Amino acid sequence: MQDDKLLQDYDKLLERVYKKIPPKSGTSDLQLPEPQLIRVGTQSIIKNFRDISQKLKRDPTLVSRYLLKELASAGSYEEVSGQLVLNVKVSRKVIEQLLDIFIKSYVKCPTCGSIDTRIEHRGKIWILRCEACGAEQPIKAF
Ligand SMILES: [Zn+2]
């Protein structure tokens, strides 16, 4: 009986300790799949583009617009296949770097680091709204 009591106390103690620790946040919850990039002639195709966008909780159209702008390239997102076709030769490294910047600017909450966020459009103003802590941060529209 004594042991049971001790265990219960220990459980309660653990519970209290864990409650004090803020939930793990940041890009650690964000297991972004590695971009599957193939090059066909002068085009680069990100085969798993839809999966990547879903992980970012962003519309693939929005993410593709960002990449195209940053790469100063034309291209198109193919709804059916979930692929992004870029009319430019680009390395996976570059795509990864751009996605990283995208996460920092348009996904991750600057206040608490959560990626549980969404973009709200208020007229011409874009706001990054965090579902975890409620912070709102104006972001650069594109
Ligand atoms: Zn937050």
Side-chain angles (χ1 to χ4, degrees):
M1 277 320 226
Q2 191 66 25
D3 283 357
D4 279 0
K5 173 89 176 63
L6 267 176
L7 265 180
Q8 272 179 19
D9 286 353
Y10 185 65
D11 278 351
K12 271 187 194 144
L13 185 72
L14 273 184
E15 228 171 81
R16 276 210 297 274
V17 169
Y18 282 120
K19 266 183 194 155
K20 278 186 188 160
I21 300 172
K24 233 183 164 183
S25 58
T27 38
S28 52
D29 347 320
L30 190 60
Q31 293 296 330
L32 208 61
E34 199 169 85
Q36 289 168 17
L37 190 79
I38 53 164
R39 277 193 238 162
V40 182
T42 54
Q43 292 185 319
S44 307
I45 302 167
I46 306 174
K47 299 201 73 169
N48 57 344
F49 189 70
R50 181 167 39 212
D51 293 347
I52 292 171
S53 302
Q54 277 169 354
K55 281 278 178 201
L56 297 171
K57 296 182 192 162
R58 291 295 176 266
D59 191 328
T61 320
L62 182 88
V63 187
S64 68
R65 208 162 77 196
Y66 176 79
L67 290 181
L68 292 173
K69 181 185 76 87
E70 291 301 311
L71 294 165
S73 155
S76 58
Y77 170 64
E78 293 173 349
E79 194 85 45
V80 179
S81 58
Q83 300 184 144
L84 178 65
V85 179
L86 302 160
N87 294 339
V88 66
K89 280 187 195 173
V90 67
S91 71
R92 200 181 70 203
K93 188 95 198 138
V94 169
I95 297 295
E96 281 174 340
Q97 279 167 354
L98 288 176
L99 287 172
D100 211 45
I101 298 167
F102 183 83
I103 291 166
K104 283 184 188 129
S105 314
Y106 296 101
V107 180
K108 202 170 165 182
C109 170
T111 304
C112 75
S114 170
I115 54 152
D116 192 10
T117 60
R118 61 196 159 90
I119 294 175
E120 285 180 4
H121 304 272
R122 293 178 195 163
K124 282 184 180 165
I125 298 167
W126 288 22
I127 305 277
L128 184 71
R129 189 178 153 76
C130 178
E131 308 279 9
C133 77
E136 292 186 355
Q137 170 86 12
I139 47 173
K140 205 170 157 234
F142 60 84

